[in-house]
Amino acid sequence: MADLKDYQPMDDGDIIKAMELNIKSAVGYYDSELSQERKKVTEYYNAELPKPAHDGNSKFVSQDVYAGVQSMTASLLETFSAGNRIVKFAPQGPEDVQTAEICSAYTDYVMWRQNNCFDVFQSVILDGLMARVGVCKVFWEQSSEAQEEEFVNLTSDELDVILSADDVELVDSTTNDLGLISGTIERSIDTSQVRIQAVAPEEFIIEPQASDLHNIDFCAHRTRYSISELRAAGYDEDKIANIGTDHDDVELESDPEILARFEKIGGDRKNHAQGYIDQVREVLVYEAYINLDVDGTGQATLHKVVKAGNQILEIEKVDRKPFIVFTPLPTPHSFFGANFAEKLIATQNAKTVLTRSILDHAVITNNPRYTVVKGGLSNPRELISNRVGGLVNVTRPDAIAPMPQAPLNPFIFQTIKLLDDEKEETSSVSSLSTGLNKDAISKQNSAAMVEQLVTMSQQRMKIIARNFASFVKPLFHEVYRLVVENEQYEKVVDIAGGFVQIDPRSWKEKRDVMVELRLGYSEQERESQKYLALHQLMTQDPGLQPLYSIENKYNMMKSVLEHQGILNVEEFITRPDQLPPPQPNQAEIMQQQMAMKQMELQERQTAVAEQRAMTDAQTSAAKMELDAARSQSDFAIKSDNQDLKEAQFRHKQLIDEGELELLKVTEDRRGIVSPTG
């Protein structure tokens, strides 16, 4: 075992040597094995093979490779790119539900609106089916956009405040007689974002014995850059000037896969690669991810090394590779799986030969060869021209006779049917799923039966779809990680029809990704119907109604709409936390008011009754008192009348007594007078 003291730091020469060894090993395996296979598959996909055995035979080519690849591609694209949000982050707890939903929506926004993920998915799927693996590259692209703005009549202090910003530069200015400044400034707008690119199969190289993308020491992305593009990327000018030419660039230009891809188009990129001026001259650049012990510590770590020719343009220590791969038919313990399209080549060869024999037989039957008796034709050219309705002059009746033709083998059509069945078993794309089986799709079979047959025919297709889901999950997570690591500003983004303010800097660095795999629209429709049935059950069952809150109803309807392909959910239903305070029903308000009025009326009637009773009681008491007083008054009056009568009687008696007394006195006086007189 080597001592740590034996390890020395690596200079540029050592790094270039390590790079060259790994590149040579990877490119040699690629050019000797994979490139030829991919070239062959591409030619069969383009219906260029198999070629006719003879020039005069039919040139028909069965499209089995093309049909199988395109059918599988269409199914996968429909599943993952049909407008349904099938990838989302799982919340870490009840308090993380809304944040996880915002993170999922924004990551989906970055993938589908900032990047054209449909084209990326299509390219990766086609590469995976035809080149064993499909590769995409995910990275953070630093970019800015200059925007000019005019200003008018500013003071020098006001202009200094504007120019104090780091992203503002003065372009030109003029000062008027009052000392006010007008002119133009240039504002640099940060347009950096996550970039997702599909990598061409011949541009991605990896060590030959790789088992997966993680446990390897070397992989690289090789592509062409012009000198101008390297300058725009900010690489050192002296290193760019010393790049020179690279023989690997010529080898890549002559790659069989590239030639097969552009054979129909034509043109030679070599002329352009040489360049008519140095600024557009293209060079081959390797962006490699390799384990190196640059500092001589005895521990190799992952580094990103950018090499062009014999110049290292960039070297940086990194923590992960930016590549994500899709393997439709994985092979255990191997990076490269089986080739889906290659498995259909045998079927295409056999069907092409059989169909050509049918067509050739039909042509020979309609235009047979003839036996001609020597000297039986006046002009042999009349028979050779084979003009419709043309005359052939003969010297004897039996001069011309059709040459006997062997009948067509009746088993050819059965064999073609067997080959179709074999293609379905090999490609896992059934005619049921494409709607081409007239025997299954008939009036005798119910829709449920046909749907069940289609679902059964898609089982192997689902396995490939799940393999693609294993590609989508790390892609979704890597986009999220790049957003969290590099987004520096708060943003207001239109998500699902509503503007949401987000700050990725406050998000968690890692989240669990969930993929809801639904193969085709029918399964998504069934899922939505399942949620609707559950909604009806929860609504109609009195025992479950207390458990079914407004938040649960919103989430249920949101899932129904999303499974039906409606992502702008908030345009149709409002979130419970955004609902206004509950307003009472106007009918209930009227009923309550009527009830209150009725209660008030009853209270008033009761009060009036009580008041009436009290008044009646008071009236009765007053009447009784009045009667008592009247009785007392009558008694007093009677008593007074009696007293008056008694007084009058006594008065009369007194008068009578007085009169008697007076009379008596008078008489007495009279008696006295009479004797003396």
Side-chain angles (χ1 to χ4, degrees):
M1 182 176 179
D3 191 356
L4 290 178
K5 295 181 180 180
D6 297 334
Y7 297 113
Q8 300 294 327
M10 301 178 67
D11 56 17
D12 287 355
D14 297 330
I15 296 174
I16 291 176
K17 183 178 180 181
M19 286 273 294
E20 292 291 347
L21 290 174
N22 283 278
I23 291 173
K24 183 178 180 180
S25 175
V27 170
Y29 169 72
Y30 174 86
D31 289 341
S32 62
E33 301 291 338
L34 294 180
S35 185
Q36 295 296 329
E37 175 188 283
R38 292 169 177 172
K39 175 182 181 297
K40 178 181 177 182
V41 167
T42 302
E43 291 176 343
Y44 272 91
Y45 179 84
N46 294 330
E48 298 173 5
L49 293 177
K51 295 184 180 299
H54 305 284
D55 292 338
N57 290 9
S58 170
K59 294 180 174 56
F60 170 83
V61 177
S62 180
Q63 302 276 345
D64 297 276
V65 173
Y66 173 83
V69 170
Q70 284 297 320
S71 297
M72 181 63 70
T73 302
S75 298
L76 295 179
L77 284 176
E78 177 187 340
T79 303
F80 292 91
S81 307
N84 297 295
R85 189 174 299 160
I86 61 174
V87 185
K88 62 182 180 180
F89 291 115
Q92 306 297 322
E95 73 286 349
D96 191 44
V97 174
Q98 185 175 2
T99 304
E101 184 177 351
I102 293 176
C103 294
S104 301
Y106 184 68
T107 307
D108 197 76
Y109 167 86
V110 172
M111 291 180 61
W112 294 102
R113 296 178 64 177
Q114 288 189 348
N115 293 273
N116 189 357
C117 249
F118 180 84
D119 286 348
V120 173
F121 281 6
Q122 186 175 32
S123 299
V124 170
I125 291 172
L126 286 172
D127 290 341
L129 297 176
M130 297 176 59
R132 299 195 177 198
V133 293
V135 183
C136 86
K137 185 178 180 182
V138 190
F139 58 96
W140 180 264
E141 182 182 62
Q142 295 285 352
S143 61
S144 61
E145 180 179 318
Q147 180 178 352
E148 290 190 353
E149 300 177 3
E150 295 183 355
F151 62 91
V152 180
N153 296 335
L154 297 181
T155 64
S156 59
D157 293 337
E158 292 173 340
L159 181 59
D160 291 340
V161 172
I162 296 176
L163 296 178
S164 61
D166 296 335
D167 58 348
V168 177
E169 292 184 1
L170 181 64
V171 178
D172 58 64
S173 63
T174 58
T175 305
N176 59 17
D177 298 338
L178 299 177
L180 299 178
I181 306 173
S182 301
T184 305
I185 60 173
E186 185 177 81
R187 190 181 302 275
S188 178
I189 302 176
D190 187 8
T191 57
S192 302
Q193 67 173 65
V194 176
R195 288 292 182 188
I196 307 174
Q197 295 178 351
V199 179
E202 72 276 1
E203 293 182 357
F204 181 78
I205 57 176
I206 192 171
E207 59 187 46
Q209 300 298 324
S211 59
D212 54 51
L213 190 60
H214 305 289
N215 302 316
I216 58 172
D217 293 326
F218 172 82
C219 67
H221 179 205
R222 55 175 180 173
T223 186
R224 302 177 188 85
Y225 285 96
S226 67
I227 299 298
S228 297
E229 289 174 334
L230 294 177
R231 290 194 177 101
Y235 292 120
D236 184 78
E237 182 63 34
D238 294 336
K239 293 182 178 180
I240 295 176
N242 293 328
I243 290 177
T245 59
D246 190 355
H247 66 280
D248 289 339
D249 190 16
V250 179
E251 294 179 358
L252 186 60
E253 288 287 357
S254 59
D255 182 89
E257 184 178 358
I258 297 179
L259 296 178
R261 186 182 304 155
F262 292 100
E263 184 176 358
K264 290 289 186 180
I265 302 174
D268 188 1
R269 290 197 60 185
K270 293 181 181 179
N271 296 331
H272 178 67
Q274 295 172 0
Y276 54 90
I277 57 175
D278 185 68
Q279 292 89 329
V280 299
R281 177 173 62 91
E282 290 185 343
V283 295
L284 188 63
V285 178
Y286 287 88
E287 181 183 323
Y289 293 83
I290 181 173
N291 288 325
L292 297 173
D293 183 13
V294 177
D295 299 325
T297 60
Q299 182 67 39
T301 56
L302 185 64
H303 285 73
K304 170 187 173 183
V305 181
V306 180
K307 182 186 84 73
N310 291 323
Q311 292 293 320
I312 294 180
L313 303 179
E314 178 186 357
I315 182 169
E316 177 187 6
K317 188 176 181 180
V318 294
D319 59 352
R320 61 185 184 272
K321 308 174 187 70
F323 304 110
I324 300 174
V325 299
F326 163 56
T327 308
L329 302 176
T331 300
H333 318 298
S334 175
F335 176 79
F336 294 100
N339 195 313
F340 175 89
E342 188 187 29
K343 296 182 179 300
L344 300 173
I345 290 179
T347 302
Q348 180 163 327
N349 284 332
K351 284 186 63 178
T352 299
V353 171
L354 292 176
T355 307
R356 283 176 180 173
S357 67
I358 296 174
L359 296 175
D360 290 340
H361 185 274
V363 171
I364 294 175
T365 302
N366 294 329
N367 296 277
R369 300 177 67 186
Y370 293 93
T371 60
V372 181
V373 176
K374 186 176 181 180
L377 294 178
S378 300
N379 184 4
R381 290 183 178 275
E382 294 175 350
L383 183 63
I384 295 174
S385 65
N386 199 21
R387 181 169 58 87
V388 177
L391 297 176
V392 179
N393 295 303
V394 297
T395 59
R396 48 188 294 181
D398 60 345
I400 303 173
M403 180 179 291
Q405 176 69 25
L408 185 66
N409 190 331
F411 295 104
I412 288 181
F413 298 99
Q414 297 180 12
T415 306
I416 292 178
K417 180 63 172 63
L418 291 175
L419 290 174
D420 287 333
D421 295 339
E422 176 68 19
K423 182 184 71 173
E424 291 182 9
E425 294 180 2
T426 303
S427 65
S428 72
V429 179
S430 172
S431 58
L432 289 170
S433 61
T434 57
L436 299 179
N437 194 318
K438 61 180 178 59
D439 296 326
I441 304 176
S442 64
K443 295 181 180 180
Q444 298 178 356
N445 294 335
S446 64
M449 181 182 297
V450 174
E451 184 177 350
Q452 183 178 5
L453 291 173
V454 171
T455 303
M456 293 174 61
S457 70
Q458 292 177 338
Q459 294 303 318
R460 292 180 60 192
M461 188 185 298
K462 282 187 176 181
I463 300 300
I464 298 180
R466 295 190 186 281
N467 290 334
F468 191 72
S470 299
F471 162 84
V472 176
K473 285 179 63 175
L475 173 63
F476 198 80
H477 193 268
E478 182 62 20
V479 170
Y480 173 81
R481 290 181 63 181
L482 289 172
V483 167
V484 174
E485 293 173 354
N486 296 281
E487 290 280 10
Q488 300 297 326
Y489 308 101
E490 294 185 2
K491 291 185 176 181
V492 178
V493 182
D494 181 9
I495 297 177
F499 289 95
V500 180
Q501 184 172 0
I502 62 170
D503 186 6
R505 295 172 296 180
S506 62
W507 293 350
K508 297 179 180 179
E509 293 186 359
K510 187 175 182 179
R511 288 186 175 274
D512 295 332
V513 181
M514 298 189 305
V515 177
E516 296 181 358
L517 185 58
R518 299 287 180 265
L519 192 61
Y521 294 111
S522 59
E523 293 192 24
Q524 296 164 3
E525 182 65 25
R526 286 198 299 270
E527 285 295 312
S528 64
Q529 293 300 324
K530 182 179 68 176
Y531 283 113
L532 286 175
L534 182 60
H535 168 72
Q536 294 178 357
L537 174 64
M538 300 293 291
T539 304
Q540 296 174 0
D541 192 336
L544 296 177
Q545 288 179 358
L547 307 177
Y548 196 40
S549 65
I550 184 66
E551 289 81 5
N552 302 133
K553 294 178 181 178
Y554 171 81
N555 293 329
M556 187 77 73
M557 291 299 103
K558 180 181 178 183
S559 298
V560 171
L561 292 177
E562 288 179 348
H563 279 91
Q564 292 180 348
I566 302 174
L567 299 183
N568 51 340
V569 176
E570 295 187 357
E571 291 186 6
F572 304 98
I573 54 177
T574 305
R575 297 176 60 90
D577 55 356
Q578 297 178 357
L579 289 174
Q583 301 294 330
N585 193 346
Q586 294 297 325
E588 294 179 354
I589 294 177
M590 294 295 295
Q591 291 178 356
Q592 292 177 359
Q593 291 179 352
M594 292 178 63
M596 292 178 62
K597 293 292 184 182
Q598 189 173 1
M599 290 178 60
E600 291 179 0
L601 181 60
Q602 291 177 354
E603 290 177 355
R604 290 181 181 180
Q605 290 176 349
T606 303
V608 169
E610 292 177 352
Q611 187 68 27
R612 183 179 297 171
M614 187 181 297
T615 302
D616 292 342
Q618 291 177 354
T619 302
S620 299
K623 186 176 181 181
M624 292 177 61
E625 291 179 358
L626 181 60
D627 292 341
R630 184 179 295 171
S631 299
Q632 291 179 359
S633 298
D634 292 344
F635 180 77
I637 291 173
K638 291 179 180 180
S639 178
D640 290 343
N641 290 335
Q642 186 66 30
D643 292 341
L644 179 60
K645 290 180 179 180
E646 290 179 357
Q648 290 177 347
F649 180 74
R650 286 195 303 271
H651 182 66
K652 187 175 181 182
Q653 285 182 342
L654 290 176
I655 293 175
D656 291 342
E657 289 178 356
E659 289 180 350
L660 289 175
E661 186 66 34
L662 181 58
L663 181 59
K664 185 177 179 182
V665 172
T666 303
E667 289 180 354
D668 286 341
R669 286 179 178 176
R670 287 176 180 176
I672 296 172
V673 171
S674 296
T676 60

